[in-house]
Amino acid sequence: MYLTGDEIVRVARTLDTPPWTFTIAVPTADAADDAFALDHSTLRYRAALTKLPDGAERERCIFLLRLSDGTARCGLGESRPAPCRSFPSELHEGELRVSAAGCTCRDWSLDDIDVESDRALLLAESRARAEYAGLVRNWNAHVAAATVSEPFAYQDFCRFLLDQYALAR
Ligand code: SF4
């Protein structure tokens, strides 16, 4: 799952751990406005939750806990990222819909969700995405202007986010 910078920083502060201990830079061919550069090439990356091996050819989120009774639970609880909290709700042109793509455990309907709460969460997510896109533009301009020959590391991008969101506090 791709995360916005504010969610990366919020979870890092909650856990008191650097962002690169639970997120990674995933190469993307997508011209998404949250796609960041680490060098002067056209390669772009998006920040996502780290995945761990979970049995044969399967992966799980780094925060997913497998319990002894066979069930699974998010180790972040109420601190889980906004896209996890709003799942399976989505906003389409201002209208709330249920879109549980990727979920195979059950069917979802509007009766399963808190419409007003999810709408507020998704609107806040949308504002956060716009703010993050602006920060990524600034970062990409910084990378493009850099004269160093070495590529930046994902940790450098994370430190930039930590600084920027600290300034905005
Ligand atoms: S709900 Fe928790 S375990 Fe599931 S993807 Fe989100 S952070 Fe990971």
Side-chain angles (χ1 to χ4, degrees):
M1 172 193 305
Y2 298 120
L3 296 183
T4 52
D6 65 311
E7 287 295 281
I8 293 170
V9 169
R10 184 184 61 78
V11 174
R13 285 180 185 146
T14 301
L15 300 179
D16 194 21
T17 189
W20 53 89
T21 61
F22 61 90
T23 61
I24 54 169
V26 180
T28 180
D30 197 349
D33 56 10
D34 64 350
F36 56 88
L38 293 176
D39 58 26
H40 289 175
S41 75
T42 56
L43 279 177
R44 293 290 181 274
Y45 303 84
R46 298 174 82 184
L49 286 169
T50 301
K51 288 186 175 177
L52 301 176
D54 191 28
E57 297 178 24
R58 289 177 52 190
E59 293 181 314
R60 65 177 168 85
C61 171
I62 190 170
F63 292 120
L64 189 73
L65 303 176
R66 295 260 180 235
L67 306 184
S68 53
D69 64 2
T71 59
R73 181 174 299 167
C74 176
L76 286 177
E78 288 307 305
S79 295
R80 64 197 185 281
C84 305
R85 293 202 306 278
S86 59
F87 180 88
S89 301
E90 283 185 5
L91 269 183
H92 289 272
E93 296 174 359
E95 215 169 285
L96 196 77
R97 294 186 193 166
V98 167
S99 172
C103 176
T104 54
C105 62
R106 56 168 289 189
D107 291 327
W108 296 87
S109 77
L110 279 175
D111 293 335
D112 297 310
I113 63 175
D114 181 332
V115 172
E116 285 317 308
S117 158
D118 281 8
R119 182 190 301 282
L121 187 54
L122 287 163
L123 287 172
E125 266 186 69
S126 171
R127 289 191 293 272
R129 269 197 302 276
E131 182 187 12
Y132 181 47
L135 292 179
V136 169
R137 271 196 303 277
N138 293 347
W139 166 263
N140 287 344
H142 169 67
V143 172
T147 53
V148 291
S149 55
E150 291 293 307
F152 287 88
Y154 177 55
Q155 283 90 332
D156 297 321
F157 176 67
C158 292
R159 288 190 191 97
F160 167 81
L161 292 180
L162 289 167
D163 289 346
Q164 294 299 308
Y165 284 101
L167 289 174
R169 260 179 153 182

